[in-house]
Each structure stands twice: as structure tokens, then as C-alpha cells.
Amino acid sequence: MRSVMRRLDEIAVVLKGRGDTIALLGLGSCGAQPARLDDHSDLDFYVIVEDGAAWRYLDRTDWLETPGPVTYLFTHQRGGRRALYADGVFVEYRVLTVADLARTPFAGARVVWRRPGAPAGLATSGAPVPRPPFDTEEYHLNDALVSLYIGLHRELRGEHLAASRLIQHRAVDAVIALLRLGGGEPPYRDAFEPARRIERAHPVEVLPLAAMVPGYTGNVAAVRFTLGWLERRYTVPAGIGDALRELVRSVDVR
């Protein structure tokens, strides 16, 4: 944990000595919620630079390697890199101008360093964090049910991987959304990845993930269990509910 935060501070020292940098923002567990930090945390940050300077921090890595040797680096998105230091600190960063930052959705940022006179409000995104198209109980319930139904048909067709992505991923994401709507925001919820820290947010009695996500060969069992979980808690529309139950029964008699 200490090595990750120390590396962020070391990068800040490097950037302070450059004339074309504006700020360094920590994100994730190195951002505004440091209680999330543990021995498995990586280092997420944004480097905010002057207009026209981004290429120096994307094409050149001298600033990144000043704190220690980098053994691995690759481009994972436009303006973004992922890298691994020799001491095991894994970093994910983006290089942005102030205008880029205003168009970038993010949450939970912390200003690690800012140049005197830098614009105020750098840690607050000017773009909304993406949310589901319809963030309602009706939407998420029906999304889960349809994912189970289509997924089970794909399972019966022999498309086991495609089926698992609907049954054990998409439907479970919808279940997580239902729990969020029913019980408020769990602590340290990741707005971009609902599965993060979900085990801490909900005990196994509430969210039995082992039964909902049993693995590649467990699609039918996952449908049966997740459908039952939904039926015990919500009013399942008769049309899709009856069709799903009939499809499960057809599997059972094979």
C-alpha cells in the first residue's frame, strides 16, 4: 500500500519540476477514497498538461521512469497507458489537457499536486458519469429476465460461452443494480464497474454469487437459481416468467 502512494508522490515531484504540467490527479483507491487502498491496489492517475504538451508525456517515459525502472508499457486507450514498475507497482494513467479533462467522465479524484494558478475544480468532472439508459427497478428486473431467457436458448444451442455472458454476467449486473436501487449506494461503489467490492457491500445471504456465477458448465443451474432469487423478491411479469419456467422444465426432462 505504501509503495503505491509513495510512487504517486514521487511522480508528483517529477511533474512539479516541469514547465508544461498543470496538475496530477489521483483516482480510484489513490483518489478521494484512500480507505479502499490495500496490497492489491494499482495506481490510477491523470497528468494534466498544457495544450500541445500531451505527446511529451505519452511518447516519452523519462518522467515515468524517474522514480524507478518500468518493465512493461502499452497503450490501452487514446491518451492512456498502462505500465508495470520493476518493484511491482502497476499504473494506469491518462495525459489530458484542461479541455480534455472537462469532457472526461470520472469520479472520486484527488488533487495530488497542482501548479499555483491552476484552474479550480480540477478534481470534479465536467462530464456526467455514464448511467444505464433506464435506471429503474422495472428496467433492471426485465433486463435480468430477458438475459436469462436468451442466454438459456444460447446454452441449448451449444453456445456455452455466449450463454454465460448473458446468464452469469449481464443478468447478475442487473441483479446488482436492483440491490443498489433497493438499498441505497453501497460504500465505495465504483460508478464505472458495478462488480467492484460487491462482496463487501452485500453478504452472501443477500447476494449468493457462487450460485449465480457457477462457471462455464453451470449456465442452467445459474438460470434456475437466479430466476428463483428474482421471483422471491419482485413481481416477475407472467409472460416472460412463464416462458422461462417452461424452458427450464424442458431442460430438466431431457
Side-chain angles (χ1 to χ4, degrees), residues 76-98:
H76 75 285
Q77 62 175 304
R78 184 175 182 179
R81 304 287 186 269
R82 287 173 173 162
L84 179 66
Y85 282 96
D87 62 2
V89 175
F90 185 84
V91 303
E92 181 172 333
Y93 62 91
R94 293 186 66 187
V95 179
L96 305 167
T97 65
V98 172

Side-chain angles (χ1 to χ4, degrees), residues 5-74:
M5 295 299 277
R6 183 172 62 248
R7 185 58 37 80
L8 186 60
D9 291 338
E10 291 168 347
I11 292 170
V13 170
V14 175
L15 297 178
K16 285 179 187 178
R18 302 207 166 200
D20 53 3
T21 54
I22 295 173
L24 175 66
L25 305 183
L27 293 104
S29 53
C30 293
Q33 298 175 334
R36 292 165 44 182
L37 193 69
D38 61 22
D39 292 334
H40 305 288
S41 296
D42 53 19
L43 172 53
D44 297 309
F45 61 89
Y46 289 166
V47 179
I48 314 304
V49 300
E50 297 280 2
D51 292 346
W55 69 273
R56 298 190 189 99
Y57 296 88
L58 292 169
D59 296 348
R60 299 177 183 175
T61 57
D62 54 314
W63 63 275
L64 187 67
E65 296 184 77
T66 298
V70 171
T71 60
Y72 172 73
L73 177 78
F74 86 103

Side-chain angles (χ1 to χ4, degrees), residues 105-117:
F106 62 90
R110 174 176 65 91
V111 177
V112 180
W113 164 81
R114 65 192 293 269
R115 179 202 300 173

Side-chain angles (χ1 to χ4, degrees), residues 210-221:
M212 291 180 176
V213 191
Y216 178 76
T217 60
N219 284 322
V220 175

Side-chain angles (χ1 to χ4, degrees), residues 148-158 160 163 167 217-224 227 242-254:
L148 295 177
Y149 181 78
I150 297 174
L152 188 50
H153 271 293
R154 291 184 182 173
E155 170 72 11
L156 296 173
R157 188 186 288 146
H160 308 302
I167 296 166
T217 60
N219 284 322
V220 175
V223 170
R224 189 181 295 112
L227 175 59
D242 292 345
L244 255 172
R245 284 186 289 271
E246 181 59 34
L247 194 56
V248 170
R249 281 193 292 269
S250 74
V251 176
D252 291 339
V253 298
R254 289 189 177 196

Side-chain angles (χ1 to χ4, degrees), residues 227-249:
L227 175 59
W229 188 94
L230 291 167
E231 288 178 319
R232 288 190 296 274
R233 289 164 176 80
Y234 303 95
T235 301
V236 172
I240 189 68
D242 292 345
L244 255 172
R245 284 186 289 271
E246 181 59 34
L247 194 56
V248 170
R249 281 193 292 269

